Amino acid sequence: MTSGILEGKVAIITGAGRGIGRAHALELASQGAAVVVNDAGVSVSGDRGSVVPAQGVVDEIRERGGSAVAASGSVTSPDDCAETVELALREFGHLDIVVNNAGILRNAPLIDTSPEDFDAVVSVHLRGTFLMVREAARHWSAHPGTGRRIINTTSSTGMLGEPGQSGYSAAKAGILGLTMTAAKELGEYGATCNAISPVAITRMTEQFASAWGGVSEDAFTPFDPRNASPVVAYLASDAAGWLNGQVLRVEGNSVIRMSGWSRGSRWDGRAGEFLTTSELASAVPQLYGTFPAPMLSDPGNR
């Protein structure tokens, strides 16, 4: 395996046994990183399976001349996350990169979603990302250094919502907020924190495979899980040290800078006066470019 932009780096990648995570692991290893391949081996819905795929990815990396080790802990467990960091330190001596990719999916209309299903999805995506970020940050805070990178995984569903995915959308939106907070806090530990929003055919999106055109092993296709991995490798590299608190959407071979909750148009009330509902009934639609007739009365006044 030839040297690359991550030569000498050590990375933890969660949910790396299949799909997008596996592609990240292979790409970062091809760029010279030693990789801890974390995957608990669960089904799409989060049920424990009999196969733990992390070792298969480790074997692929080693066959190509890279360095990797498998970790099967759950990202929802603080102890398992701590052990995953300790494994990286034992095997490779240090930790530079954390890529949070693990996730599950339990789809149902909001009114039919059980609290247990909602909690399970949020736990893997959001709690798991939090725990891994926290564990890496704790280590880095005690060991001064530079060039540390966290790359989280969000989704357009977290930005725009999607019917049937209340837990998933809430978790992915939460990851955006967590990313921004970590970006502001972790600089003193030599770390940046960014996020990607990939589009790919995986176990979670296989129902769209026929409509999206499938994936080819031999040629570029727009929904290949491998498409986002070079972006992750770049964000993990020293070349991206200037970039922090950002979200990059990856659609095929296009990279889109997301602007998040940016401030839009503004309407000001009367100087020194409280807002009233009659004013707002006219003002708020104007913020969105419509101009309804004003209210004839304002019973509540405020």
mmCIF file of all heavy atoms in Angstrom, residues 104-134:
data_model
loop_
_atom_site.group_PDB
_atom_site.id
_atom_site.type_symbol
_atom_site.label_atom_id
_atom_site.label_comp_id
_atom_site.label_asym_id
_atom_site.label_seq_id
_atom_site.Cartn_x
_atom_site.Cartn_y
_atom_site.Cartn_z
ATOM 1 N N ILE A 104 -28.617 3.060 12.773
ATOM 2 C CA ILE A 104 -29.680 2.082 12.506
ATOM 3 C C ILE A 104 -30.905 2.845 12.023
ATOM 4 O O ILE A 104 -30.932 4.082 12.040
ATOM 5 C CB ILE A 104 -30.030 1.242 13.746
ATOM 6 C CG1 ILE A 104 -30.628 2.127 14.852
ATOM 7 C CG2 ILE A 104 -28.797 0.493 14.249
ATOM 8 C CD1 ILE A 104 -31.208 1.350 16.018
ATOM 9 N N LEU A 105 -31.916 2.112 11.613
ATOM 10 C CA LEU A 105 -33.123 2.746 11.087
ATOM 11 C C LEU A 105 -34.342 1.935 11.506
ATOM 12 O O LEU A 105 -34.351 0.707 11.385
ATOM 13 C CB LEU A 105 -33.043 2.817 9.557
ATOM 14 C CG LEU A 105 -33.982 3.771 8.835
ATOM 15 C CD1 LEU A 105 -33.731 5.209 9.249
ATOM 16 C CD2 LEU A 105 -33.822 3.621 7.326
ATOM 17 N N ARG A 106 -35.357 2.637 12.013
ATOM 18 C CA ARG A 106 -36.653 2.007 12.309
ATOM 19 C C ARG A 106 -37.735 2.966 11.828
ATOM 20 O O ARG A 106 -38.059 3.940 12.511
ATOM 21 C CB ARG A 106 -36.795 1.724 13.809
ATOM 22 C CG ARG A 106 -35.789 0.716 14.334
ATOM 23 C CD ARG A 106 -36.010 0.363 15.793
ATOM 24 N NE ARG A 106 -34.992 -0.556 16.276
ATOM 25 C CZ ARG A 106 -34.954 -1.052 17.517
ATOM 26 N NH1 ARG A 106 -35.911 -0.730 18.386
ATOM 27 N NH2 ARG A 106 -33.978 -1.863 17.881
ATOM 28 N N ASN A 107 -38.247 2.696 10.650
ATOM 29 C CA ASN A 107 -39.193 3.606 10.009
ATOM 30 C C ASN A 107 -40.629 3.309 10.425
ATOM 31 O O ASN A 107 -41.051 2.151 10.476
ATOM 32 C CB ASN A 107 -39.092 3.492 8.490
ATOM 33 C CG ASN A 107 -37.844 4.160 7.957
ATOM 34 O OD1 ASN A 107 -37.149 4.865 8.673
ATOM 35 N ND2 ASN A 107 -37.571 3.952 6.683
ATOM 36 N N ALA A 108 -41.358 4.373 10.682
ATOM 37 C CA ALA A 108 -42.796 4.281 10.942
ATOM 38 C C ALA A 108 -43.336 5.700 10.993
ATOM 39 O O ALA A 108 -42.607 6.636 11.310
ATOM 40 C CB ALA A 108 -43.078 3.573 12.268
ATOM 41 N N PRO A 109 -44.620 5.885 10.661
ATOM 42 C CA PRO A 109 -45.207 7.206 10.871
ATOM 43 C C PRO A 109 -45.037 7.644 12.317
ATOM 44 O O PRO A 109 -45.003 6.807 13.238
ATOM 45 C CB PRO A 109 -46.688 6.996 10.528
ATOM 46 C CG PRO A 109 -46.695 5.800 9.628
ATOM 47 C CD PRO A 109 -45.588 4.924 10.107
ATOM 48 N N LEU A 110 -44.943 8.932 12.534
ATOM 49 C CA LEU A 110 -44.696 9.455 13.872
ATOM 50 C C LEU A 110 -45.708 8.918 14.883
ATOM 51 O O LEU A 110 -45.336 8.519 15.999
ATOM 52 C CB LEU A 110 -44.726 10.983 13.830
ATOM 53 C CG LEU A 110 -44.229 11.740 15.060
ATOM 54 C CD1 LEU A 110 -43.652 13.080 14.641
ATOM 55 C CD2 LEU A 110 -45.352 11.959 16.071
ATOM 56 N N ILE A 111 -46.991 8.865 14.513
ATOM 57 C CA ILE A 111 -48.008 8.437 15.471
ATOM 58 C C ILE A 111 -47.900 6.956 15.799
ATOM 59 O O ILE A 111 -48.468 6.497 16.801
ATOM 60 C CB ILE A 111 -49.438 8.764 14.968
ATOM 61 C CG1 ILE A 111 -49.727 8.037 13.653
ATOM 62 C CG2 ILE A 111 -49.629 10.265 14.821
ATOM 63 C CD1 ILE A 111 -51.174 8.179 13.195
ATOM 64 N N ASP A 112 -47.176 6.187 14.963
ATOM 65 C CA ASP A 112 -47.001 4.754 15.212
ATOM 66 C C ASP A 112 -45.621 4.417 15.750
ATOM 67 O O ASP A 112 -45.319 3.243 16.005
ATOM 68 C CB ASP A 112 -47.232 3.963 13.914
ATOM 69 C CG ASP A 112 -48.657 4.084 13.411
ATOM 70 O OD1 ASP A 112 -49.568 4.169 14.257
ATOM 71 O OD2 ASP A 112 -48.853 4.101 12.181
ATOM 72 N N THR A 113 -44.762 5.407 15.921
ATOM 73 C CA THR A 113 -43.408 5.170 16.411
ATOM 74 C C THR A 113 -43.426 5.026 17.928
ATOM 75 O O THR A 113 -43.902 5.912 18.642
ATOM 76 C CB THR A 113 -42.471 6.328 16.025
ATOM 77 O OG1 THR A 113 -42.388 6.395 14.596
ATOM 78 C CG2 THR A 113 -41.080 6.131 16.603
ATOM 79 N N SER A 114 -42.922 3.914 18.417
ATOM 80 C CA SER A 114 -42.881 3.704 19.864
ATOM 81 C C SER A 114 -41.733 4.495 20.471
ATOM 82 O O SER A 114 -40.725 4.767 19.805
ATOM 83 C CB SER A 114 -42.696 2.218 20.181
ATOM 84 O OG SER A 114 -41.392 1.795 19.809
ATOM 85 N N PRO A 115 -41.856 4.885 21.730
ATOM 86 C CA PRO A 115 -40.729 5.539 22.398
ATOM 87 C C PRO A 115 -39.459 4.688 22.357
ATOM 88 O O PRO A 115 -38.355 5.221 22.248
ATOM 89 C CB PRO A 115 -41.232 5.737 23.834
ATOM 90 C CG PRO A 115 -42.717 5.797 23.707
ATOM 91 C CD PRO A 115 -43.050 4.837 22.590
ATOM 92 N N GLU A 116 -39.650 3.368 22.431
ATOM 93 C CA GLU A 116 -38.485 2.478 22.417
ATOM 94 C C GLU A 116 -37.754 2.540 21.078
ATOM 95 O O GLU A 116 -36.516 2.563 21.029
ATOM 96 C CB GLU A 116 -38.917 1.044 22.712
ATOM 97 C CG GLU A 116 -39.423 0.816 24.122
ATOM 98 C CD GLU A 116 -40.843 1.337 24.358
ATOM 99 O OE1 GLU A 116 -41.574 1.584 23.368
ATOM 100 O OE2 GLU A 116 -41.220 1.481 25.535
ATOM 101 N N ASP A 117 -38.509 2.568 19.977
ATOM 102 C CA ASP A 117 -37.887 2.656 18.662
ATOM 103 C C ASP A 117 -37.224 4.020 18.457
ATOM 104 O O ASP A 117 -36.129 4.113 17.905
ATOM 105 C CB ASP A 117 -38.918 2.408 17.557
ATOM 106 C CG ASP A 117 -39.260 0.936 17.405
ATOM 107 O OD1 ASP A 117 -38.526 0.093 17.964
ATOM 108 O OD2 ASP A 117 -40.259 0.618 16.731
ATOM 109 N N PHE A 118 -37.907 5.068 18.886
ATOM 110 C CA PHE A 118 -37.326 6.414 18.784
ATOM 111 C C PHE A 118 -36.016 6.471 19.557
ATOM 112 O O PHE A 118 -34.985 6.941 19.051
ATOM 113 C CB PHE A 118 -38.319 7.443 19.333
ATOM 114 C CG PHE A 118 -37.845 8.868 19.207
ATOM 115 C CD1 PHE A 118 -38.160 9.621 18.088
ATOM 116 C CD2 PHE A 118 -37.098 9.457 20.212
ATOM 117 C CE1 PHE A 118 -37.722 10.940 17.969
ATOM 118 C CE2 PHE A 118 -36.659 10.764 20.113
ATOM 119 C CZ PHE A 118 -36.976 11.506 18.983
ATOM 120 N N ASP A 119 -36.029 5.975 20.796
ATOM 121 C CA ASP A 119 -34.829 6.019 21.631
ATOM 122 C C ASP A 119 -33.699 5.186 21.041
ATOM 123 O O ASP A 119 -32.528 5.580 21.109
ATOM 124 C CB ASP A 119 -35.146 5.507 23.042
ATOM 125 C CG ASP A 119 -36.000 6.479 23.847
ATOM 126 O OD1 ASP A 119 -36.129 7.644 23.420
ATOM 127 O OD2 ASP A 119 -36.524 6.065 24.895
ATOM 128 N N ALA A 120 -34.039 4.043 20.445
ATOM 129 C CA ALA A 120 -33.005 3.172 19.887
ATOM 130 C C ALA A 120 -32.271 3.857 18.742
ATOM 131 O O ALA A 120 -31.039 3.798 18.641
ATOM 132 C CB ALA A 120 -33.622 1.863 19.400
ATOM 133 N N VAL A 121 -33.016 4.524 17.864
ATOM 134 C CA VAL A 121 -32.399 5.204 16.725
ATOM 135 C C VAL A 121 -31.556 6.384 17.196
ATOM 136 O O VAL A 121 -30.413 6.562 16.770
ATOM 137 C CB VAL A 121 -33.484 5.657 15.724
ATOM 138 C CG1 VAL A 121 -32.874 6.521 14.628
ATOM 139 C CG2 VAL A 121 -34.171 4.443 15.110
ATOM 140 N N VAL A 122 -32.115 7.193 18.078
ATOM 141 C CA VAL A 122 -31.379 8.352 18.595
ATOM 142 C C VAL A 122 -30.139 7.895 19.358
ATOM 143 O O VAL A 122 -29.075 8.527 19.293
ATOM 144 C CB VAL A 122 -32.293 9.222 19.483
ATOM 145 C CG1 VAL A 122 -31.495 10.307 20.200
ATOM 146 C CG2 VAL A 122 -33.392 9.855 18.640
ATOM 147 N N SER A 123 -30.241 6.781 20.065
ATOM 148 C CA SER A 123 -29.120 6.290 20.868
ATOM 149 C C SER A 123 -27.923 5.950 19.998
ATOM 150 O O SER A 123 -26.787 6.334 20.301
ATOM 151 C CB SER A 123 -29.551 5.063 21.676
ATOM 152 O OG SER A 123 -28.503 4.629 22.515
ATOM 153 N N VAL A 124 -28.148 5.231 18.904
ATOM 154 C CA VAL A 124 -27.019 4.840 18.052
ATOM 155 C C VAL A 124 -26.449 6.056 17.320
ATOM 156 O O VAL A 124 -25.236 6.301 17.351
ATOM 157 C CB VAL A 124 -27.435 3.751 17.046
ATOM 158 C CG1 VAL A 124 -26.283 3.446 16.087
ATOM 159 C CG2 VAL A 124 -27.851 2.484 17.778
ATOM 160 N N HIS A 125 -27.307 6.823 16.682
ATOM 161 C CA HIS A 125 -26.813 7.938 15.870
ATOM 162 C C HIS A 125 -26.266 9.074 16.726
ATOM 163 O O HIS A 125 -25.094 9.470 16.573
ATOM 164 C CB HIS A 125 -27.942 8.487 14.988
ATOM 165 C CG HIS A 125 -28.309 7.606 13.853
ATOM 166 N ND1 HIS A 125 -27.649 7.619 12.646
ATOM 167 C CD2 HIS A 125 -29.290 6.667 13.727
ATOM 168 C CE1 HIS A 125 -28.195 6.736 11.823
ATOM 169 N NE2 HIS A 125 -29.189 6.147 12.453
ATOM 170 N N LEU A 126 -27.083 9.617 17.606
ATOM 171 C CA LEU A 126 -26.705 10.839 18.327
ATOM 172 C C LEU A 126 -25.903 10.544 19.586
ATOM 173 O O LEU A 126 -24.824 11.109 19.783
ATOM 174 C CB LEU A 126 -27.965 11.641 18.664
ATOM 175 C CG LEU A 126 -27.756 12.975 19.374
ATOM 176 C CD1 LEU A 126 -26.792 13.874 18.624
ATOM 177 C CD2 LEU A 126 -29.098 13.674 19.589
ATOM 178 N N ARG A 127 -26.416 9.676 20.440
ATOM 179 C CA ARG A 127 -25.668 9.313 21.651
ATOM 180 C C ARG A 127 -24.327 8.681 21.274
ATOM 181 O O ARG A 127 -23.292 8.991 21.869
ATOM 182 C CB ARG A 127 -26.489 8.353 22.505
ATOM 183 C CG ARG A 127 -25.747 7.784 23.726
ATOM 184 C CD ARG A 127 -26.625 6.747 24.418
ATOM 185 N NE ARG A 127 -25.902 5.938 25.381
ATOM 186 C CZ ARG A 127 -25.828 6.207 26.684
ATOM 187 N NH1 ARG A 127 -26.416 7.283 27.166
ATOM 188 N NH2 ARG A 127 -25.172 5.389 27.495
ATOM 189 N N GLY A 128 -24.344 7.802 20.258
ATOM 190 C CA GLY A 128 -23.099 7.159 19.840
ATOM 191 C C GLY A 128 -22.076 8.148 19.346
ATOM 192 O O GLY A 128 -20.878 8.043 19.659
ATOM 193 N N THR A 129 -22.519 9.139 18.573
ATOM 194 C CA THR A 129 -21.597 10.174 18.104
ATOM 195 C C THR A 129 -21.062 10.972 19.283
ATOM 196 O O THR A 129 -19.848 11.235 19.389
ATOM 197 C CB THR A 129 -22.306 11.099 17.102
ATOM 198 O OG1 THR A 129 -22.693 10.331 15.957
ATOM 199 C CG2 THR A 129 -21.400 12.235 16.653
ATOM 200 N N PHE A 130 -21.946 11.367 20.195
ATOM 201 C CA PHE A 130 -21.530 12.105 21.388
ATOM 202 C C PHE A 130 -20.500 11.334 22.196
ATOM 203 O O PHE A 130 -19.459 11.891 22.600
ATOM 204 C CB PHE A 130 -22.757 12.413 22.255
ATOM 205 C CG PHE A 130 -22.427 12.704 23.691
ATOM 206 C CD1 PHE A 130 -21.798 13.890 24.059
ATOM 207 C CD2 PHE A 130 -22.739 11.783 24.679
ATOM 208 C CE1 PHE A 130 -21.482 14.148 25.392
ATOM 209 C CE2 PHE A 130 -22.423 12.026 26.010
ATOM 210 C CZ PHE A 130 -21.798 13.216 26.366
ATOM 211 N N LEU A 131 -20.757 10.061 22.451
ATOM 212 C CA LEU A 131 -19.849 9.285 23.290
ATOM 213 C C LEU A 131 -18.465 9.137 22.659
ATOM 214 O O LEU A 131 -17.442 9.247 23.344
ATOM 215 C CB LEU A 131 -20.447 7.908 23.585
ATOM 216 C CG LEU A 131 -21.646 7.895 24.533
ATOM 217 C CD1 LEU A 131 -22.224 6.480 24.635
ATOM 218 C CD2 LEU A 131 -21.265 8.415 25.918
ATOM 219 N N MET A 132 -18.429 8.906 21.351
ATOM 220 C CA MET A 132 -17.123 8.763 20.702
ATOM 221 C C MET A 132 -16.375 10.096 20.654
ATOM 222 O O MET A 132 -15.159 10.144 20.869
ATOM 223 C CB MET A 132 -17.287 8.199 19.295
ATOM 224 C CG MET A 132 -17.549 6.711 19.233
ATOM 225 S SD MET A 132 -16.300 5.670 20.064
ATOM 226 C CE MET A 132 -14.773 6.315 19.406
ATOM 227 N N VAL A 133 -17.094 11.182 20.394
ATOM 228 C CA VAL A 133 -16.449 12.500 20.401
ATOM 229 C C VAL A 133 -15.931 12.805 21.799
ATOM 230 O O VAL A 133 -14.791 13.273 21.969
ATOM 231 C CB VAL A 133 -17.437 13.590 19.936
ATOM 232 C CG1 VAL A 133 -16.864 14.982 20.182
ATOM 233 C CG2 VAL A 133 -17.764 13.415 18.457
ATOM 234 N N ARG A 134 -16.748 12.553 22.796
ATOM 235 C CA ARG A 134 -16.332 12.840 24.171
ATOM 236 C C ARG A 134 -15.110 12.029 24.562
ATOM 237 O O ARG A 134 -14.160 12.558 25.175
ATOM 238 C CB ARG A 134 -17.489 12.538 25.137
ATOM 239 C CG ARG A 134 -17.191 12.939 26.576
ATOM 240 C CD ARG A 134 -18.261 12.503 27.534
ATOM 241 N NE ARG A 134 -18.326 11.055 27.691
ATOM 242 C CZ ARG A 134 -18.910 10.443 28.728
ATOM 243 N NH1 ARG A 134 -19.511 11.157 29.667
ATOM 244 N NH2 ARG A 134 -18.937 9.125 28.809
#
